[in-house]
């Protein structure tokens, strides 16, 4: 497609056909669509944040068209929490992370679907592949959102970043069947804020000219890293709006709030120098699950632990990683979180070892307490060639490691359920998905 | 309680017992040392619930009785008092202990003696006496290989047990952390022949090593199912044993390794030390390349550089390249006594046996690293 207008002059573009325009008009001159994005700096901004709309729910609706006009909640069973609610359910007051019983109080006719993380992860990867086709600078934040830096891609794609992004959104809708919202700006902080402005199916732009005035009226909680505690602390000092921070000098903020103060000073002035980093380094690999009914019994917990350890091990092996620290996470029936860690002499990636260390920690915690969640993770990564050396103190470890390699090979061929340890069959009954 | 003790006696004994007391304690009484004055001596006792050390010092007892005070504070006070001072300890009527020496005067908060925990021992089934030197050697040769890994608590100590070698009962000490294994043995002393295998915890190992001063002094060892007691002169150390099963280590001691290397211990240790300078990070391997008559040691660290050193050795077997953790090689080299170290290799992926050519009673096993 040839472009009549070069990037710098582009002030508007059609989000359906991607055609740029020199000025904002009510409808696209080419396709007649009213969905135009207009901004004076549209042609010069290159940092974007892409966020899928109601990701899990959107995928379920895509796969079952009969759900299209029904409120859909994706989440764990009759207890557990809402993972994602579709926009119809959101209108009725359902929110992410809301306990399921509350969500069903607000929206009794909702269709509740058990999350199928494997399916969502696969779709997430498809979306990521499409992003990577535009730029190598894609920084995933989670399964369904990522930053992209499209600076310097204009000649490659024959279109300014904004046009490439509009086409990307259209392509995701057409080929994958879900919608996304895009925020475009000149840094990550503002791009992320922008993507949230017009959800769903949004395309929002925050330019350099209006960044400061835009931020000034927003609450400080919008700043990345300012949580409830920091908000309360700032409120106690009379700071509620970002505009107040803009008027305070950097030294004062740093003195009062330390390194956080510096961040407040910079971000409030729309100064975010964090680059879009393609592969945020993984700090830990973990897996956890919330039970349908609380469990106090060690044997049942061990069974679940084994499956989780295998999952973590699988991911470690796939990423060619190994870690020295194993962390066990438990949530009691009254929502208290317990974490226990063990440092190993050698980094590991074996399910056998992760499970054994986790089991040892778990045995100390099972004193009749009922748990609703169990998780295990590996962190403190080390060079993979140091992982799981032969062990003088455990002459059978080598044999078990070979058995695990054999199991991995079988699973690689016939699927993860092809071979299971007897232990895994002791898990509590779970309704089929 | 009212007692007067000579500062040097008190300092020496407090020096022995206060080390047992953990610096940070959630249970206040465990920060304290128990002092009991009776019959011309002052008995001191400290514990961490796993380990207990008691020692008696000659004292002038004005009034018998017992009390407990913070161990580290009392030790620091006595340490700072001038040499030759007479220290008087007096609980009077109140809830404090008054410590006086010369013109110095301190009052310390006390906790009642009745709260002080006692490591009840039950009956000892085994009892034997050996010269301090024997205990010291067994510990020295194996201590470095004790594991610190919490998960495998049964490796956090030295495994002491009786084995029969060539018809003779031997008292053997073994420690391993999975990467290396150290084994040392002596002829079983009289009374020890029937002892069941025990695991002596790391902390007790360290304390005993510090308590044996005179190499020829007799040390009496008493063992029950759950406890061990060492009596060294006026000092008595009682420790819980690790309740676990030590792995079947005999299976990992290589028997058929046929590639034999003889190398000068000092020359080897020096070379390992020099080339390992490059391996800043823990766990980097020193590669040993052996061929007829020579060994090339090398370390390659992509971050900092590389190092090589060649030494002449006695090695008639087929060429081999094998890697080891530098620190482990140095630890073993430090234990060898005579001038020549003997290595027996099988292949680069199997355990290597290291011995002292003339000391058959100690051996070391090292797991190679991939290089």
């Amino acid at each position: 497609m040839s472009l009549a207008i070069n990037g710098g002059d582009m002030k508007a573009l059609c989000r359906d056909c991607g055609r740029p325009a020199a000025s904002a008009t009510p409808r696209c001159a080419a396709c007649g669509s009213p969905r135009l994005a207009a901004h004076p700096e549209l042609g010069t901004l290159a940092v974007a944040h892409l966020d899928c709309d109601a990701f899990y729910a959107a995928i379920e609706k895509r796969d079952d068209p009969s759900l299209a006009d029904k409120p859909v909640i994706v989440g764990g069973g009759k207890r557990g929490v809402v993972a994602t609610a579709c926009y119809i359910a959101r209108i009725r007051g359902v929110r992410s992370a809301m306990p399921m019983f509350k969500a069903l109080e607000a929206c009794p006719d909702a269709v509740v679907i058990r999350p199928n993380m494997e399916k969502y992860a696969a779709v997430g990867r498809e979306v990521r592949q499409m992003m990577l086709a535009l730029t190598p600078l894609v920084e995933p934040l989670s399964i369904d959102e990522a930053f992209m830096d499209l600076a310097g891609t204009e000649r490659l794609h024959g279109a300014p970043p904004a046009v490439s992004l509009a086409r990307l959104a259209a392509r995701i809708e057409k080929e994958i069947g879900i919608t996304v919202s895009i925020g475009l700006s000149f840094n990550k902080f503002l791009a992320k804020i922008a993507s949230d402005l017009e959800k769903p199916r949004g395309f929002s732009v925050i330019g350099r000219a209006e960044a400061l005035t835009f931020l000034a009226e927003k609450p400080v909680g919008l700043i990345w890293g300012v949580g409830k505690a920091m908000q309360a602390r700032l409120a106690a000092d009379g700071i509620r709006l970002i505009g107040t921070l803009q008027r305070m000098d950097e030294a004062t903020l740093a003195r009062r709030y330390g390194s956080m103060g510096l961040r407040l000073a910079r971000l409030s002035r729309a100064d975010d120098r964090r680059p879009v980093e393609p592969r945020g380094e993984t700090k830990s690999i973990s897996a956890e699950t919330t039970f349908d009914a609380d469990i106090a019994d060690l044997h049942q917990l061990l069974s679940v632990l084994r499956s989780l350890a295998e999952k973590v091990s699988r991911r470690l092996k796939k990423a060619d990683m190994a870690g020295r620290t194993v962390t066990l996470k438990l949530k009691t029936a009254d929502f208290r979180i317990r974490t226990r860690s063990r440092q190993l002499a050698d980094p590991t990636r074996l399910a056998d070892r992760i499970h054994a260390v986790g089991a040892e920690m778990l045995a100390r915690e099972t004193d009749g307490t009922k748990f609703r969640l169990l998780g295990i993770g590996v962190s403190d990564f080390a060079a993979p060639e140091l992982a799981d050396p032969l062990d003088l103190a455990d002459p059978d470890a080598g044999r078990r490691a070979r058995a695990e390699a054999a199991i991995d090979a079988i699973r690689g061929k016939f699927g993860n359920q092809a071979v299971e340890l007897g232990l895994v069959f002791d898990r509590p009954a779970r309704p089929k998905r | 309680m009212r007692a007067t003790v000579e500062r040097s006696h008190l300092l020496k004994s407090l020096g022995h017992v206060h080390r047992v007391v953990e610096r940070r304690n959630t249970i206040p009484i465990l920060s304290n040392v128990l002092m009991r004055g009776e019959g011309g001596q002052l008995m001191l006792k400290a514990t961490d619930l796993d380990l207990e050390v008691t020692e008696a010092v000659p004292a002038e007892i004005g009034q018998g009785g017992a009390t407990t005070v913070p161990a580290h504070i009392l030790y620091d006070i006595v340490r700072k008092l001038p040499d030759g001072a007479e220290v008087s300890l007096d609980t009077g009527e109140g809830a404090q202990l008054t410590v006086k020496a010369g013109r110095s005067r301190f009052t310390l908060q006390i906790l009642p003696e009745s709260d002080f925990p006692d490591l009840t021992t039950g009956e000892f089934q085994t009892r034997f006496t050996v010269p301090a030197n024997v205990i010291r050697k067994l510990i020295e040769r194996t201590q470095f290989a004790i594991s610190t890994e919490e998960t495998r608590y049964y490796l956090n100590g030295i495994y002491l047990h009786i084995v029969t070698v060539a018809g003779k009962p031997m008292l053997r000490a073994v420690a391993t952390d999975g990467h290396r294994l150290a084994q040392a043995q002596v002829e079983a002393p009289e009374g020890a022949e029937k002892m069941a295998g025990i695991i002596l915890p790391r902390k007790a190992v360290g304390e005993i090593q510090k308590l044996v001063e005179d190499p020829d002094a007799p040390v009496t060892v008493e063992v029950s199912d759950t406890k061990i007691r060492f009596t060294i002169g006026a000092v008595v150390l009682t420790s819980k044993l690790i309740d676990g099963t030590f792995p079947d280590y005999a299976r990992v001691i290589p028997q058929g390794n046929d590639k034999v290397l003889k190398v000068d211990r000092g020359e080897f240790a020096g070379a390992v030390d020099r080339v390992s300078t490059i391996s800043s990070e823990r766990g980097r391997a020193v590669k040993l390349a052996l061929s007829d008559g020579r060994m090339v040691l090398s370390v390659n660290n992509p971050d900092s550089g590389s190092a090589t050193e060649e030494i002449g050795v006695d090695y008639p077997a087929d060429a081999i390249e094998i890697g080891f953790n530098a620190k482990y090689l140095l630890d073993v080299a430090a234990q060898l006594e005579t001038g020549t170290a003997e290595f027996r290799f099988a292949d680069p992926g199997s355990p290597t046996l290291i011995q002292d050519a003339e000391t058959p009673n100690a051996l070391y096993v090292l797991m190679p690293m991939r290089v």
Side-chain angles (χ1 to χ4, degrees):
Chain A
M1 175 179 167
S2 72
L3 278 176
I5 298 160
N6 81 44
D9 298 332
M10 186 180 72
K11 303 288 180 248
L13 73 91
C14 172
R15 290 164 51 195
D16 284 331
C17 70
R19 187 191 150 93
S23 62
T25 50
R27 279 183 185 273
C28 172
C31 72
S33 162
R35 294 178 68 231
L36 295 185
H39 192 279
E41 296 173 38
L42 192 61
T44 61
L45 300 170
V47 178
H49 178 255
L50 182 146
D51 194 3
C52 300
D53 304 322
F55 187 56
Y56 303 168
I59 295 172
E60 296 299 346
K61 288 196 176 198
R62 174 194 75 173
D63 293 348
D64 182 357
S66 74
L67 296 173
D69 52 359
K70 296 199 178 99
V72 168
I73 298 176
V74 178
K78 60 179 182 295
R79 52 175 287 172
V81 294
V82 175
T84 307
C86 76
Y87 283 87
I88 303 173
R90 287 188 200 187
I91 291 168
R92 312 273 281 275
V94 180
R95 295 284 173 267
S96 306
M98 188 182 247
M100 193 59 80
F101 71 91
K102 274 205 176 152
L104 289 173
E105 262 168 34
C107 186
D109 56 333
V111 179
V112 178
I113 299 175
R114 286 288 219 130
N116 179 350
M117 294 311 294
E118 270 171 39
K119 179 160 87 176
Y120 309 150
V123 177
R125 277 193 297 273
E126 281 178 56
V127 174
R128 182 124 345 123
Q129 283 311 316
M130 290 191 187
M131 291 190 243
L132 285 167
L134 293 185
T135 170
L137 294 181
V138 175
E139 180 183 334
L141 290 180
S142 71
I143 185 171
D144 64 343
E145 58 175 317
F147 286 115
M148 303 168 72
D149 187 345
L150 287 118
T153 62
E154 189 162 347
R155 282 182 60 187
L156 177 67
H157 299 306
V163 174
S164 295
L165 288 164
R167 288 184 194 151
L168 171 68
R171 190 176 158 210
I172 291 172
E173 266 187 59
K174 199 170 143 218
E175 295 180 19
I176 300 180
I178 60 166
T179 65
V180 300
S181 292
I182 289 174
L184 177 63
S185 189
F186 55 94
N187 63 36
K188 290 188 347 184
F189 171 52
L190 290 167
K192 175 129 165 85
I193 293 172
S195 73
D196 219 28
L197 292 177
E198 229 185 76
K199 264 180 152 307
R201 234 185 151 210
F203 192 104
S204 307
V205 183
I206 300 177
R208 288 184 173 83
E210 77 274 19
L212 285 183
T213 45
F214 169 84
L215 285 173
E217 288 158 35
K218 297 286 183 279
V220 288
L222 203 60
I223 294 179
W224 172 74
V226 177
K228 275 206 184 108
M230 192 67 200
Q231 273 181 58
R233 201 172 148 200
L234 290 170
D237 295 346
I239 304 169
R240 284 186 176 77
L241 295 180
I242 295 178
T244 317
L245 290 170
Q246 288 172 349
R247 287 189 296 276
M248 298 172 71
D249 75 284
E250 192 167 344
T252 309
L253 286 167
R255 197 167 54 244
R256 274 204 210 165
Y257 310 111
S259 64
M260 189 65 204
L262 277 182
R263 181 187 293 170
L264 292 174
R266 295 229 171 103
L267 294 184
S268 66
R269 291 158 173 77
D271 174 8
D272 177 10
R273 296 173 198 173
R274 293 171 299 159
V276 174
E277 282 172 303
R279 267 243 309 238
E281 213 175 303
T282 314
K283 295 257 166 48
S284 76
I285 288 183
S286 59
E288 61 180 50
T289 183
T290 303
F291 313 130
D292 289 319
D294 298 335
I295 306 179
D297 178 58
L298 178 61
H299 287 282
Q300 288 192 16
L301 289 168
L302 283 176
S303 168
V304 177
L305 183 71
R306 175 74 204 188
S307 310
L308 293 173
E310 286 178 0
K311 201 169 179 179
V312 170
S313 162
R314 202 150 55 228
R315 291 172 56 194
L316 285 166
K317 286 167 186 163
K318 200 167 169 190
D320 191 24
M321 292 171 94
R324 285 181 202 278
T325 303
V326 175
T327 304
L328 181 81
K329 178 179 168 190
L330 288 160
K331 199 189 275 176
T332 61
D334 55 349
F335 290 86
R336 275 175 226 276
I337 291 186
R338 294 187 193 175
T339 57
R340 301 287 179 265
S341 286
R342 272 286 149 74
Q343 191 88 41
L344 308 181
D346 298 289
T348 190
R349 62 166 63 150
L350 291 178
D352 179 56
R353 190 108 175 83
I354 299 167
H355 173 76
V357 175
E360 199 248 339
M361 292 188 276
L362 183 59
R364 287 163 194 261
E365 303 301 321
T366 43
D367 46 8
T369 311
K370 289 185 164 183
F371 297 103
R372 54 179 285 119
L373 174 145
L374 173 65
I376 191 151
V378 171
S379 55
D380 190 8
F381 296 123
E385 65 268 19
L386 298 178
D388 302 298
L390 291 170
D391 191 344
L392 289 170
D394 188 356
D396 292 329
R399 250 182 59 220
R400 291 200 305 276
R402 285 195 298 278
E404 189 170 323
I407 293 175
D408 288 343
I410 294 171
R411 285 180 174 166
K413 236 179 190 165
F414 302 108
N416 288 334
Q417 275 81 44
V419 189
E420 292 280 19
L421 254 64
L423 181 62
V424 172
F425 294 107
D426 289 339
R427 74 161 71 198
R430 193 172 176 175
K432 284 254 181 285
R433 277 184 188 138
Chain B
M1 184 195 75
R2 207 166 61 243
T4 310
V5 200
E6 204 182 301
R7 182 247 180 199
S8 60
H9 287 160
L10 186 57
L11 181 64
K12 189 171 164 223
S13 295
L14 276 173
H16 290 153
V17 304
H18 95 284
R19 279 196 306 258
V20 176
V21 177
E22 296 285 350
R23 284 276 166 189
R24 276 171 298 174
N25 259 311
T26 47
I27 309 169
I29 192 80
L30 293 182
S31 299
N32 282 13
V33 55
L34 170 72
M35 297 189 289
R36 173 177 286 122
E38 60 187 10
Q41 58 181 19
L42 183 71
M43 195 274 291
L44 303 163
K45 176 165 157 180
T47 183
D48 69 356
L49 294 179
D50 291 324
L51 183 65
E52 176 185 283
V53 176
T54 66
E55 181 162 357
V57 289
E60 215 172 279
I61 305 298
Q63 189 192 350
T67 190
T68 79
V69 288
H72 294 301
I73 297 180
L74 182 64
Y75 174 71
D76 285 342
I77 290 173
V78 175
R79 189 169 55 84
K80 290 173 187 174
L81 290 174
D83 198 17
E86 290 270 301
V87 185
S88 100
L89 305 162
D90 189 354
T91 51
E93 300 299 310
Q96 286 176 324
L97 174 79
T98 307
V99 181
K100 280 191 288 191
R103 295 185 186 182
S104 315
R105 180 193 161 90
F106 306 83
T107 55
L108 295 176
Q109 299 294 342
I110 61 176
L111 288 171
E113 176 237 353
S114 54
D115 289 356
F116 201 82
D118 192 28
L119 215 60
T120 44
T121 50
E123 204 183 319
F124 292 111
Q125 291 94 15
T126 303
R127 180 191 306 258
F128 57 91
T129 301
V130 285
N133 210 21
V134 170
I135 296 284
R136 183 143 78 181
K137 277 274 176 260
L138 282 178
I139 289 180
E140 246 172 34
R141 289 198 171 132
T142 50
Q143 190 176 15
F144 70 93
I146 299 176
S147 166
T148 52
E149 199 184 342
E150 288 168 89
T151 319
R152 299 198 283 181
Y153 57 92
Y154 48 85
L155 299 180
N156 298 164
I158 295 176
Y159 181 44
L160 287 171
H161 57 303
I162 300 292
V163 289
T164 306
V165 179
K168 253 197 248 163
M170 306 290 278
L171 174 62
R172 182 181 282 180
V174 178
T176 182
D177 62 4
H179 301 122
R180 56 232 173 110
L181 178 146
Q183 171 186 316
Q185 60 191 18
V186 293
E187 255 177 67
E190 208 181 311
E193 301 89 342
K194 293 267 156 19
M195 185 183 80
I198 55 166
I199 307 171
L200 182 62
R202 185 176 53 235
K203 189 168 174 184
V205 168
E207 289 307 318
I208 295 159
Q209 200 66 330
K210 288 178 199 139
L211 289 174
V212 289
E213 283 151 3
D214 172 5
D216 299 320
V219 175
T220 300
V221 182
E222 293 162 285
V223 182
S224 74
D225 291 345
T226 56
K227 308 247 167 41
I228 188 165
R229 170 170 289 173
F230 294 84
T231 307
I232 309 159
V235 190
V236 179
L237 178 145
T238 311
S239 172
K240 283 188 188 165
L241 296 169
I242 293 178
D243 183 12
T245 309
F246 201 79
D248 181 10
Y249 68 91
R251 279 169 59 196
V252 299
I253 297 178
Q255 303 298 334
N257 286 8
D258 56 353
K259 296 187 173 67
V260 184
L261 158 77
K262 288 199 174 78
V263 58
D264 181 79
R265 189 195 69 86
E267 208 183 329
F268 176 71
V272 171
D273 194 19
R274 279 187 291 277
V275 295
S276 65
T277 317
I278 292 293
S279 63
S280 48
E281 163 194 332
R282 69 174 163 172
R284 201 170 288 282
V286 174
K287 185 168 81 179
L288 311 182
L290 287 154
S291 53
D292 193 14
R294 66 182 203 144
M295 178 198 289
V296 179
L297 301 93
S298 60
V299 172
N300 202 347
N301 181 350
D303 297 331
S304 57
S306 64
T308 340
E309 182 159 338
E310 186 180 324
I311 52 179
V313 295
D314 174 2
Y315 182 74
D318 292 343
I320 183 175
E321 282 193 0
I322 188 167
F324 294 102
N325 181 309
K327 182 176 179 301
Y328 298 167
L329 283 177
L330 291 174
D331 282 344
V332 170
Q335 294 309 319
L336 301 172
E337 285 189 3
T338 56
T340 308
E342 191 178 288
F343 286 66
R344 287 173 179 270
F345 306 99
D347 59 71
S350 304
T352 293
L353 187 70
I354 304 168
Q355 268 176 303
D356 196 331
E358 283 126 68
T359 319
N361 280 336
L363 65 84
Y364 307 95
V365 181
L366 277 189
M367 213 64 193
M369 287 174 79
R370 287 160 228 165
V371 280

